[in-house]
Amino acid sequence: MPADKCNDMQPKQEEENVAPSMPIADVVKAVVLCSAYIAVSSALIRFNKFLMHADRFPFSMALTSMHMLVSFCLCLVFYMLRPSSFPGMANTEGKKLLLLTWFVPIGATFAIALYTSNQAYLYCAVTFLQFMKEGNMIIAFLLSCAVGLQVLSRVRAAIILWIMAGSLMAVSGEIKFVFVGFAFQLVSQLAECSRAVMGEFVLSGGGLKLDPLSYTMFVAPTCLLVLIVGMAVTWDPRIPAALLAWRWYILPNALLAFVLNVLVAATIKEVSAMGFILAGGCKDIVIVLFSWMFFGEHVTGQQCLGFTVALTGVFYWSYLKANPSSDTARFAERLLGMPATPPQPTENTPLVKEKV
């Protein structure tokens, strides 16, 4: 081949050998979504804690029902005004059975998560509940392993024990420990992680690939039906009077819940269920600091230490997930007696080894 042609091909080969990187626009979008989720979720948690006081509106089933009712109504209004904002609706045509298969369990787990998390506010401080949520990543990972999305290894098992140790240290350091509140929060976390894993299937695959608004439009009525049944079983005659008295607080609370529902779906679609759980770890830091500094919630030294240990494990997990071939990852594998992971092939890796 002539030399000039070789020179012409060399820049092209160098361009092909450059590993594709994540576009800056996608990185910015993910950061903005996660930041918005953290801000709105933190605000709603404090708002719910305020409303769930015994002297205000301590009816978690009714409160979450209002959230879903407002979310569904707003989705219907937006769909009538601008159907182009719901591009995923076209993927649902002729798939009624598939929709029921996914959204019945998603709606049920969402209803359970909403009710039990709000119920936990009646018994426990916000900071204590955020300490417990450090176990969400473990729950989500084990559920992902159960459905074949993740694989358990020694390194991952060690980090799980690491996070569990920190979470248990933070939880056991609670001065006013109430088992009922602990149980409600644990059930809420199991349901929330189950919903996140199933939501990832629906938003990114599962034959639907819905957009966030379409997802919210389908999940809100199914969740509302479950909550209505629960509200009928646990009906309290004081609800109508309390709803009337606190309506100007409950309405903005429900609007904020709608914004959060859309942001949760958008975040899961953009960064996956595990990325959503990791963003929740950052949210926990914000809420704990905010509750301690501005609401006077007591935090012991043991809880601070346990929270730090758990968070370190969470961020170490995310680092290893993003850099599986790093020196840190290989050191952890050698330390736990795992066989060395072969380097990942690149475009520069020859297909056939040259004979000596």
Side-chain angles (χ1 to χ4, degrees):
M1 184 180 290
D4 56 344
K5 290 187 178 181
C6 291
N7 293 334
D8 291 340
M9 291 183 63
Q10 186 173 357
K12 294 182 180 179
Q13 290 176 348
E14 289 177 356
E15 289 177 3
E16 292 176 355
N17 290 336
V18 176
S21 58
M22 189 176 182
I24 297 298
D26 291 345
V27 174
V28 172
K29 183 180 179 181
V31 171
V32 170
L33 276 174
C34 289
S35 301
Y37 159 70
I38 291 170
V40 175
S41 180
S42 302
L44 186 62
I45 285 173
R46 290 304 326 182
F47 205 164
N48 287 346
K49 176 67 175 177
F50 169 80
L51 284 174
M52 286 297 297
H53 191 275
D55 297 330
R56 299 185 184 105
F57 195 81
F59 311 106
S60 54
M61 196 73 74
L63 183 62
T64 49
S65 296
M66 289 297 299
H67 290 176
M68 289 300 103
L69 178 62
V70 171
S71 293
F72 183 50
C73 291
L74 287 176
C75 282
L76 285 177
V77 172
F78 289 156
Y79 184 65
M80 289 187 291
L81 295 176
R82 192 174 179 180
S84 59
S85 298
F86 297 74
M89 294 297 287
N91 299 329
T92 65
E93 295 180 2
K95 297 179 180 179
K96 293 181 180 179
L97 182 60
L98 185 60
L99 286 171
L100 287 174
T101 302
W102 280 113
F103 281 102
V104 168
I106 288 177
T109 52
F110 194 16
I112 293 170
L114 289 173
Y115 168 70
T116 50
S117 64
N118 284 327
Q119 196 70 12
Y121 293 137
L122 292 173
Y123 303 95
C124 302
V126 170
T127 50
F128 173 74
L129 299 179
Q130 300 313 124
F131 292 149
M132 284 190 64
K133 288 181 182 180
E134 292 312 299
N136 277 359
M137 197 194 70
I138 299 172
I139 299 171
F141 174 72
L142 294 177
L143 289 173
S144 298
C145 287
V147 298
L149 291 177
Q150 300 284 345
V151 178
L152 185 64
S153 66
R154 293 182 191 176
V155 173
R156 289 176 173 178
I159 299 176
I160 285 174
L161 293 175
W162 175 356
I163 297 171
M164 284 181 62
S167 299
L168 288 173
M169 188 185 302
V171 170
S172 62
E174 177 68 10
I175 297 175
K176 298 179 181 179
F177 180 81
V178 181
F179 180 78
V180 176
F182 170 83
F184 272 123
Q185 183 60 30
L186 183 60
V187 173
S188 171
Q189 291 176 223
L190 289 169
E192 174 62 23
C193 292
S194 301
R195 180 182 74 98
V197 173
M198 289 187 289
E200 183 180 355
F201 272 105
V202 173
L203 289 161
S204 304
L208 293 173
K209 293 186 178 180
L210 298 179
D211 59 276
L213 279 173
S214 298
Y215 174 84
T216 305
M217 189 170 182
F218 282 113
V219 78
T222 53
C223 180
L224 180 59
L225 288 174
V226 177
L227 289 169
I228 288 175
V229 173
M231 190 165 58
V233 174
T234 61
W235 177 255
D236 191 312
R238 296 174 297 166
I239 291 177
L243 181 62
L244 184 62
W246 292 92
R247 62 190 183 278
W248 299 118
Y249 289 86
I250 294 174
L251 181 58
N253 178 263
L255 292 173
L256 193 62
F258 166 71
V259 175
L260 179 62
N261 289 336
V262 176
L263 280 174
V264 166
T267 305
I268 293 175
K269 185 177 180 67
E270 187 69 24
V271 301
S272 81
M274 287 301 297
F276 170 71
I277 298 300
L278 289 171
C282 299
K283 178 195 70 177
D284 296 338
I285 298 175
V286 173
I287 294 175
V288 168
L289 291 176
F290 195 78
S291 299
W292 172 61
M293 293 173 63
F294 297 101
F295 290 90
E297 294 192 1
H298 186 69
V299 179
T300 66
Q302 179 180 331
Q303 286 179 313
C304 288
L305 178 60
F307 189 50
T308 304
V309 169
L311 279 175
T312 305
V314 168
F315 289 119
Y316 183 62
W317 176 291
S318 62
Y319 172 78
L320 292 185
K321 189 173 180 65
N323 303 278
S325 300
S326 64
D327 293 338
T328 305
R330 301 206 180 271
F331 173 75
E333 290 173 355
R334 290 195 301 269
L335 189 65
L336 295 172
M338 292 179 62
T341 303
Q344 297 295 321
T346 65
E347 293 182 356
N348 293 326
T349 305
L351 297 176
V352 180
K353 292 183 178 180
E354 297 181 359
K355 294 183 179 180
V356 180

